[in-house]
């Protein structure tokens, strides 16, 4: 019987091994352990060194095959019956699967499973013994909180799904996994509550994932670009987080989580504009504190977006709007500056972006020194040399600090990108340019959708009930329903008086 890469396994052990060596190029990390359990019964254990738990393999699997073999019973059986005896009576392993397809055999081998081949049979036993090195569960790096869980996702898919299941111990929390990427064969899982999530939403997520046809998926950002509705927009339409509690909260609201093997960032769909200004800590603090923090974030967003352009517009075209004493101070500062405010703002903003990017790439042991040089020495020297005015340094510094207040990095980057466009418009036609830019931004935001849901919900279309957990955060007793825009199967997250009456 002849096998192929896309066909079935051969019933000859040597043929399967030779074909595997040819397919993998005789790779040195492929380990083939040959055993002879009786005179006419040869077995091979095949695995990738570094992807399996070799200690369990040696102490359990090999020990079972060498010490617990019923030779007299096996000698009277056909090869197909022998492999059933090995599976049910000999091997001490919980994760066992019979495999016939050759491509699945190769995929499972490269995914970290131990493959058992028995001469004379065209089937293989997959033994799940993953044992590669993992990063321990640690504190989230991108969305830190003062109060709340301090655990974050890792690069291991099973660790991440377990972290979510620790939060939601419900039988309706379903997990479905597919492999995406012709070369990488990356495992991508979706998690949702089957009794809450909208069924059409779940089907749409599956459809978009199955539609992806590419060589590689190395991070959830690949998936995000493939499944988002609008490609050409600076605003993120798919939410991502490295916090299990944030993802669990989204699933409880009827959203679908997309977990990609190899990255600690999990996607959540659908999402809305206001979600990027919400933090997990909002729900761990009192409602008044949570509301205050959200208002601060919205204000910081507008400062990040508008502060430099407003400064350029007012100092260039609308000096009459500035108090006299301040005008005199600004004029004195700008007397020796050789550039107009528009060019000055562009220079400072580009300098800040360069320093910010350098701070990310520079090794941590010298990063602090570089940041001090960049912020203090260069800034002070530029002002002293008359290259930049002090007011512009203050504006850019305030803008930079405000951008870090936004919890989700994607929205912060969007504000930084649009800021340059608004500066250009302010430099050409002043406040009219800023108003025109804001008008275009609002129109663009109103046209965006995330998996069919209006991106600006509940602000547009307006929904007064969902405002209780958008810009403001009402106390928990008032948050009886899930967001209506998610179109969940079960709208109520808390019992109501009508529910109690119906149960009596």
């Amino acid at each position: 019987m002849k096998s192929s890469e896309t066909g079935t396994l051969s019933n000859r052990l040597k043929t399967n091994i030779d074909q595997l060596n040819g397919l993998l190029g005789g790779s040195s990390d492929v380990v083939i352990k040959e055993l002879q359990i009786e005179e006419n019964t040869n077995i091979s254990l095949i695995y990738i060194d570094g992807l399996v738990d070799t200690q369990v393999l040696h102490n359990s699997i090999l020990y079972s095959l060498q010490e617990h073999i019923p030779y007299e019973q096996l000698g009277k059986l056909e090869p197909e019956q022998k492999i059933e005896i090995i599976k049910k009576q000999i091997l001490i392993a919980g994760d066992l699967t019979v495999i016939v397809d050759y491509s699945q055999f190769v995929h499972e081998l490269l995914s970290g499973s131990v493959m058992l081949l028995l001469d004379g049979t065209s089937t293989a036993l997959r033994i799940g013994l993953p044992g590669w090195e993992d990063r321990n569960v640690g504190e989230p790096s991108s969305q830190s909180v003062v109060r709340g869980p301090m655990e974050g996702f890792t690069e291991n898919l099973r660790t991440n799904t377990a972290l979510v299941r620790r939060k939601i111990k419900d039988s309706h929390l379903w997990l479905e996994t597919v492999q995406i990427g012709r070369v990488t064969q990356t495992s991508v899982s979706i998690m949702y509550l089957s009794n809450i999530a909208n069924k059409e939403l779940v089907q749409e997520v599956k459809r978009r994932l199955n539609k992806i046809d590419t060589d590689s998926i190395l991070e959830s950002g690949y998936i995000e670009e493939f499944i988002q509705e609008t490609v050409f927009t600076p605003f993120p339409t798919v939410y991502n987080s490295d916090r299990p509690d944030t993802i669990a909260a989204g699933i409880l609201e009827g959203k679908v989580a997309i977990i990609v093997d190899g990255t600690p960032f999990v996607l959540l769909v659908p999402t809305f504009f206001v979600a990027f200004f919400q933090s997990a800590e909002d729900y761990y603090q009192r409602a008044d504190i949570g509301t205050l923090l959200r208002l601060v974030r919205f204000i910081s967003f507008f400062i990040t977006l508008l502060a430099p352009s407003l400064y350029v517009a007012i100092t260039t075209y609308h000096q009459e709007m500035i108090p006299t004493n301040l005008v005199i101070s600004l004029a004195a500062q700008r007397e020796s500056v050789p550039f107009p405010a528009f060019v000055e703002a562009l220079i400072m903003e580009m300098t800040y972006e360069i320093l910010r990017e350098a701070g990310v790439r520079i090794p941590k042991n010298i990063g602090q020194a570089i940041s001090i040089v960049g912020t203090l020495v260069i800034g002070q020297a530029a002002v002293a040399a008359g290259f930049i005015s002090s007011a512009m340094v203050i504006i850019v510094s305030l803008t930079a600090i405000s951008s870090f207040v936004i919890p989700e990095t994607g929205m912060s980057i969007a504000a930084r990108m649009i800021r340059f466009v608004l500066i250009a418009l302010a430099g050409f036609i002043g406040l009219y340019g800023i108003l025109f830019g804001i008008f275009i931004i609002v129109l663009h935001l109103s046209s965006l959708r995330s998996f069919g849901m209006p991106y600006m919900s509940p602000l547009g279309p307006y929904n007064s009930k969902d405002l209780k957990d958008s810009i403001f955060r009402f106390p928990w007793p008032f948050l009886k329903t899930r967001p209506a825009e998610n179109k969940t199967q079960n709208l109520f997250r808390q019992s109501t008086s009508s529910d109690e009456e119906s149960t009596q």
Side-chain angles (χ1 to χ4, degrees):
M1 178 180 175
K2 187 178 180 181
S3 62
S4 64
E5 183 180 347
T6 57
T8 59
L9 290 164
S10 171
N11 58 2
R12 295 185 59 189
L13 179 61
K14 187 177 185 306
T15 301
N16 288 325
I17 293 177
D18 291 343
Q19 185 176 353
L20 182 66
N21 285 328
L23 181 65
L24 300 181
S27 300
S28 57
D29 60 345
V30 179
V31 180
I32 302 176
K33 175 67 175 177
E34 297 182 358
L35 300 173
Q36 187 174 19
I37 58 177
E38 60 176 356
E39 184 177 354
N40 297 320
T41 304
N42 295 320
I43 287 179
S44 287
L45 289 173
I46 308 173
Y47 62 93
I48 305 296
D49 189 22
L51 295 185
V52 302
D53 191 336
T54 53
Q55 184 175 0
V56 176
L57 173 65
H58 294 155
N59 294 342
S60 297
I61 305 303
L62 289 176
Y63 176 78
S64 301
L65 290 173
Q66 292 174 344
E67 300 295 334
H68 297 162
I69 299 295
Y71 291 102
E72 296 180 359
Q73 183 180 357
L74 285 178
K76 303 175 183 178
L77 300 176
E78 295 295 326
E80 288 77 8
Q81 296 174 315
K82 291 179 181 179
I83 203 165
E84 283 296 319
I85 294 295
I86 293 173
K87 175 186 175 183
K88 296 180 179 180
Q89 299 182 17
I90 298 175
L91 288 181
I92 305 175
D95 188 7
L96 288 173
T97 308
V98 175
I99 291 177
V100 178
D101 184 70
Y102 188 81
S103 60
Q104 186 182 3
F105 170 84
V106 176
H107 172 73
E108 295 294 346
L109 174 66
L110 297 176
S111 298
S113 297
V114 178
M115 311 305 296
L116 185 148
L117 289 174
L118 176 65
D119 194 20
T121 66
S122 58
T123 59
L125 276 181
R126 184 194 71 86
I127 308 170
L129 291 177
W132 52 78
E133 293 296 327
D134 290 328
R135 181 169 61 92
N136 294 329
V137 176
E139 187 174 347
S141 59
S142 64
Q143 298 177 353
S144 301
V145 297
V146 177
R147 178 178 179 179
M150 298 298 176
E151 58 184 9
F153 288 121
T154 70
E155 287 74 17
N156 187 288
L157 177 66
R158 280 293 161 259
T159 301
N160 294 341
T161 57
L163 287 172
V164 176
R165 286 200 180 276
R166 282 184 57 194
K167 305 289 183 184
I168 306 176
K169 304 177 183 68
D170 191 276
S171 60
H172 293 97
L173 180 62
W174 289 5
L175 174 69
E176 300 179 28
T177 304
V178 295
Q179 274 69 44
I180 303 179
R182 293 189 300 267
V183 177
T184 59
Q185 288 289 301
T186 306
S187 296
V188 179
S189 298
I190 63 171
M191 293 189 79
Y192 60 94
L193 285 168
S194 60
N195 62 335
I196 294 178
N198 186 291
K199 294 182 179 179
E200 294 181 359
L201 170 64
V202 175
Q203 293 302 319
E204 180 64 16
V205 173
K206 293 180 183 178
R207 186 189 69 81
R208 295 191 189 187
L209 290 177
N210 292 330
K211 191 178 177 182
I212 298 174
D213 184 14
T214 183
D215 283 345
S216 61
I217 297 292
L218 299 179
E219 212 274 340
S220 57
Y222 287 51
I223 300 291
E224 180 178 348
E225 288 199 48
F226 275 112
I227 66 175
Q228 64 185 358
E229 239 129 341
T230 305
V231 177
F232 300 104
T233 177
F235 296 99
T237 55
V238 176
Y239 190 85
N240 71 83
S241 176
D242 59 349
R243 296 188 60 88
D245 54 338
T246 298
I247 298 302
I251 293 175
L252 289 167
E253 288 187 348
K255 298 180 181 181
V256 177
I258 303 174
I259 309 174
V260 181
D261 191 23
T263 174
F265 289 93
V266 176
L267 306 180
L268 201 63
V269 294
T271 191
F272 309 101
F273 178 77
V274 295
F276 293 92
F277 300 91
Q278 299 172 358
S279 171
E281 193 174 11
D282 297 348
Y283 302 94
Y284 306 143
Q285 303 281 5
R286 296 196 317 269
D288 51 351
I289 299 176
T291 299
L292 174 63
L293 294 176
R294 286 187 183 178
L295 292 175
V296 169
R297 294 185 197 116
F298 278 102
I299 293 172
S300 299
F301 174 76
F302 287 111
I303 291 175
T304 303
L305 197 65
L306 299 173
S309 56
L310 286 174
Y311 175 82
V312 171
I314 292 174
T315 55
T316 305
Y317 297 100
H318 310 283
Q319 295 92 344
E320 67 277 2
M321 298 179 62
I322 311 175
T324 304
N325 293 336
L326 184 56
V327 168
I328 295 173
S329 176
L330 290 176
Q333 293 178 29
R334 294 191 49 78
E335 185 177 0
S336 61
V337 177
F339 306 110
F342 166 63
V343 177
E344 185 184 9
L346 286 181
I347 292 174
M348 284 301 297
E349 288 293 343
M350 283 302 302
T351 303
Y352 161 69
E353 292 297 334
I354 292 172
L355 289 172
R356 179 185 180 121
E357 189 66 15
V360 175
R361 310 301 169 196
I362 290 176
K364 293 182 179 180
N365 54 350
I366 62 173
Q368 186 175 2
I370 295 298
S371 64
I372 293 175
V373 171
T375 55
L376 296 181
V377 178
I378 295 179
Q380 183 64 33
V383 173
F387 194 71
I388 299 295
S389 65
S390 300
M392 180 58 74
V393 173
I394 295 173
I395 293 294
V396 172
S397 300
L398 178 62
T399 303
I401 294 172
S402 298
S403 67
F404 290 108
V405 178
I406 304 172
E408 212 279 335
T409 309
M411 186 59 69
S412 174
I413 295 175
R416 287 159 51 193
M417 293 171 59
I418 298 172
R419 185 170 66 220
F420 285 97
V421 178
L422 293 178
I423 290 174
L425 290 172
F428 284 114
I429 50 177
L431 289 177
Y432 298 105
I434 297 176
L435 291 175
F436 174 75
I438 294 175
F439 180 71
I440 296 299
I441 292 170
V442 172
L443 285 181
H444 177 68
L445 285 170
S446 301
S447 68
L448 292 179
R449 303 182 78 82
S450 177
F451 280 78
M453 311 296 180
Y455 188 62
M456 290 302 292
S457 296
L459 304 176
Y462 179 74
N463 187 333
S464 59
K465 293 183 179 179
D466 288 345
L467 285 177
K468 293 183 293 185
D469 189 19
S470 55
I471 299 176
F472 309 99
R473 208 280 275 180
F474 279 33
W476 273 113
F478 294 92
L479 303 179
K480 297 183 182 297
T481 59
R482 296 181 175 87
E485 60 262 22
N486 290 338
K487 299 180 181 178
T488 56
Q489 300 179 53
N490 181 4
L491 185 62
F492 295 96
R493 60 156 62 101
Q494 298 179 29
S495 61
T496 62
S497 57
S498 59
D499 296 334
E500 294 174 356
E501 291 174 1
S502 62
T503 57
Q504 292 178 355

